């Protein structure tokens, strides 16, 4: 089958910018990964998105854009168009046939069947002159699913692409962004996936509130702190962790109340330990004990999250490796996934399964718009 050249655009829960990645794929097992690029948001624009998270709480219907959300949606879309232009200026050989556009999630309430991603697919198609697939979560929710996570379809394809030395099924892909999610890939059958808990989100919020910093660069603050296990345990006793998968999270589902009162450094170290323990706890809802854990997303660069998880997994005779250790790009994985999902959507292939989101049957999704 002829491969489709696709670009994936991802602006995640960390709200720090736009990840762009290219690939050529048939939307199944044939995946040729291409270059990637990160285009950061300036502080003022990031602040607008943070404000939008509060404004979006008033939304009752997916198409509502109260207050200045419509203006923000347009501006965000135009920034994505500029990011595509910047990418193609650097990598002209990757002119896409198709763009997968995630947009910016500002509200995710799966219990209400409501998820909102800001992003005007038609405007992006017009500005880039390329077909755009967007709004890929809604169909899953309409089929009774959580609308997240969607990356597992791509994780399953990546697992098949690993060299023989790393095909240690079952394998778990761990994406540590603002929120962490896990994808369990068995030797045969559909993947199992769910959000596992907070990733970088609480650490970033803590550093912003207590230290005036955007994040804990290289885990420097945490390196000077100590873990308060009682605080970690308080978080792990929240109802979410007892809830059976599939399950997904909104940014507002966790807050800093349990860590309030700790020093800056102790708070950063404790929240890093929480991120690791939440991922490790996810194994209890997997069909078998995983042998290989592959870390993707920005959180894999936090030495405390990665180190704590590595020590925990060693207690069950498992191995933790960064995406780069197995020949992947941990920064680009989510953007790559959106390129891959766009091709699957164009071909009418499933994006989600009952084992990944709880949908009633394997479900495709997405809206395609022409330039």
């Amino acid at each position: 089958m002829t491969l489709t050249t696709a670009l994936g655009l991802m602006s995640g829960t960390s709200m720090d910018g736009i990840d762009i990645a290219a690939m050529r794929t048939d939307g199944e097992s044939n995946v040729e990964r291409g270059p990637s690029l990160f285009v950061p948001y300036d502080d003022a624009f990031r602040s607008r998105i943070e404000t939008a998270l509060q404004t979006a709480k008033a939304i009752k219907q997916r198409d509502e854009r109260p207050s200045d959300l419509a203006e923000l949606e347009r501006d965000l879309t135009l920034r994505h168009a500029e990011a595509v232009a910047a990418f193609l200026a650097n990598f002209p050989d990757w002119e896409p046939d198709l763009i997968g556009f995630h947009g910016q999630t500002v509200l995710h309430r799966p219990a209400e069947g409501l998820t909102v991603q800001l992003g005007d697919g038609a405007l992006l198609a017009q500005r880039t002159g390329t077909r755009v697939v967007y709004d890929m979560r809604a169909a899953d929710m309409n089929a009774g699913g959580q609308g997240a996570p969607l990356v597992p379809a791509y994780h399953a394809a990546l697992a098949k692409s690993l060299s023989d030395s790393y095909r240690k099924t079952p394998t778990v892909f761990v994406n540590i962004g603002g929120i962490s999610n896990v994808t369990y890939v068995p030797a045969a059958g559909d993947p199992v996936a769910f959000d596992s808990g907070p990733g970088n989100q609480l650490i970033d919020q803590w550093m912003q509130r207590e230290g005036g910093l955007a994040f804990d660069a290289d885990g420097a603050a945490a390196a000077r702190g100590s873990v308060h296990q009682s605080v970690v345990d308080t978080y792990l006793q929240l109802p979410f962790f007892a809830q059976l998968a599939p399950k997904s999270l909104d940014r507002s589902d966790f807050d800093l109340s349990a860590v309030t009162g700790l020093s800056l450094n102790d708070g950063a170290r404790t929240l890093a330990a929480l991120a690791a323990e939440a991922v490790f706890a996810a194994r209890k809802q997997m069909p078998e004990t995983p042998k290989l854990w592959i870390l993707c997303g920005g959180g894999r660069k936090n030495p405390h999250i990665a180190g704590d998880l590595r020590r925990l997994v060693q207690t069950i005779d498992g191995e933790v490796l960064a995406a780069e250790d197995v020949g992947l790009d941990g920064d680009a994985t989510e953007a790559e996934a959106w390129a891959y999902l766009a091709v699957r959507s164009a071909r009418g292939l499933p994006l989600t399964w009952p084992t990944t989101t709880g949908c009633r049957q394997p479900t495709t999704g997405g809206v395609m718009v022409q330039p």
Side-chain angles (χ1 to χ4, degrees):
M1 175 177 287
T2 302
L3 302 185
T4 299
T5 301
L7 292 185
L9 309 181
M10 182 69 197
S11 178
T13 51
S14 58
M15 304 179 298
D16 55 353
I18 303 165
D19 285 302
I20 309 176
M23 72 166 52
R24 295 188 176 101
T25 182
D26 60 0
E28 296 187 79
S29 59
N30 199 330
V31 175
E32 297 177 7
R33 296 170 43 248
S36 60
L37 180 71
F38 175 67
V39 179
Y41 291 141
D42 57 76
D43 290 344
F45 192 73
R46 180 173 178 172
S47 179
R48 287 179 64 190
I49 298 175
E50 290 175 344
T51 300
L53 299 178
Q54 300 304 314
T55 305
K57 291 180 179 180
I59 294 176
K60 302 299 181 184
Q61 301 292 329
R62 293 184 58 253
D63 58 354
E64 293 177 3
R65 297 294 184 265
S67 187
D68 59 352
L69 288 191
E71 180 183 359
L72 176 61
E73 183 168 50
R74 176 178 172 80
D75 290 348
L76 182 138
T77 304
L78 293 177
R79 284 176 181 253
H80 278 71
E82 292 167 0
V84 170
F87 179 89
L88 293 176
N90 282 280
F91 307 107
D93 293 340
W94 287 85
E95 185 75 35
D97 305 308
L98 191 64
I99 292 174
F101 180 27
H102 179 271
Q104 181 68 55
T105 298
V106 292
L107 186 71
H108 185 71
R109 292 178 180 165
E112 301 173 21
L114 181 62
T115 187
V116 179
Q117 287 74 45
L118 296 184
D120 185 335
L123 177 60
L124 183 64
Q126 175 193 336
R127 290 301 178 110
T128 61
T130 306
R131 291 181 301 156
V132 170
V133 177
Y134 73 113
D135 197 16
M136 291 193 228
R137 299 188 186 275
D140 177 79
M141 280 195 159
N142 290 338
Q146 295 272 318
L150 263 63
V151 180
Y154 181 54
H155 285 160
L158 285 181
K160 295 175 183 177
S161 75
L162 297 177
S163 64
D164 290 344
S165 58
Y166 295 118
R167 290 189 184 179
K168 302 178 180 180
T169 54
T171 294
V172 174
F173 281 82
V174 181
N175 180 59
I176 308 174
I179 291 167
S180 294
N181 57 68
V182 295
T183 302
Y184 171 96
V185 183
D190 297 336
V192 174
F194 50 95
D195 284 352
S196 57
N200 296 319
Q201 168 197 334
L202 291 182
I203 302 172
D204 293 350
Q205 291 176 3
W206 176 256
M207 295 303 296
Q208 291 161 17
R209 192 183 82 178
E210 301 297 321
L213 300 170
F215 60 98
D216 186 13
D218 299 319
R224 297 188 292 269
S226 300
V227 175
H228 288 244
Q229 190 60 44
S230 62
V231 173
V232 174
D233 292 342
T234 295
Y235 278 109
L236 293 177
Q237 289 165 10
L238 291 173
F240 172 80
F241 294 104
Q243 181 183 338
L244 295 178
K247 54 185 177 179
S248 60
L249 286 164
D250 184 72
R251 277 183 58 92
S252 63
D253 288 340
F254 289 91
D255 61 33
L256 297 173
S257 56
V259 77
T260 297
L262 299 187
S263 69
L264 173 69
N265 298 335
D266 283 4
R269 184 66 185 90
T270 298
L271 292 171
L274 169 64
E277 291 204 31
V279 169
F280 186 61
R283 79 194 186 284
K284 298 175 183 177
Q285 297 202 37
M286 297 175 187
E288 295 180 45
T289 301
K291 296 179 180 178
L292 178 62
W293 303 58
I294 299 174
L295 302 187
C296 306
R300 79 192 190 287
K301 298 178 181 177
N302 184 307
H304 310 288
I305 298 176
D308 286 355
L309 183 60
R310 186 168 287 109
R311 285 188 292 274
L312 290 166
V313 169
Q314 285 172 348
T315 67
I316 56 171
D317 297 323
E319 181 179 19
V320 174
L321 295 174
E324 289 72 17
D325 295 332
V326 299
L328 304 176
D329 184 342
D331 287 327
T333 303
E334 275 201 288
E336 290 173 356
W338 242 253
Y340 180 80
L341 291 170
V343 177
R344 287 186 69 85
S345 174
R347 292 189 57 202
L349 296 171
L351 307 188
T352 58
W353 293 266
T355 53
T356 62
T357 65
C359 54
R360 288 183 290 272
Q361 64 276 326
T363 302
T364 190
V367 176
M368 182 184 291
V369 287
Q370 303 288 338

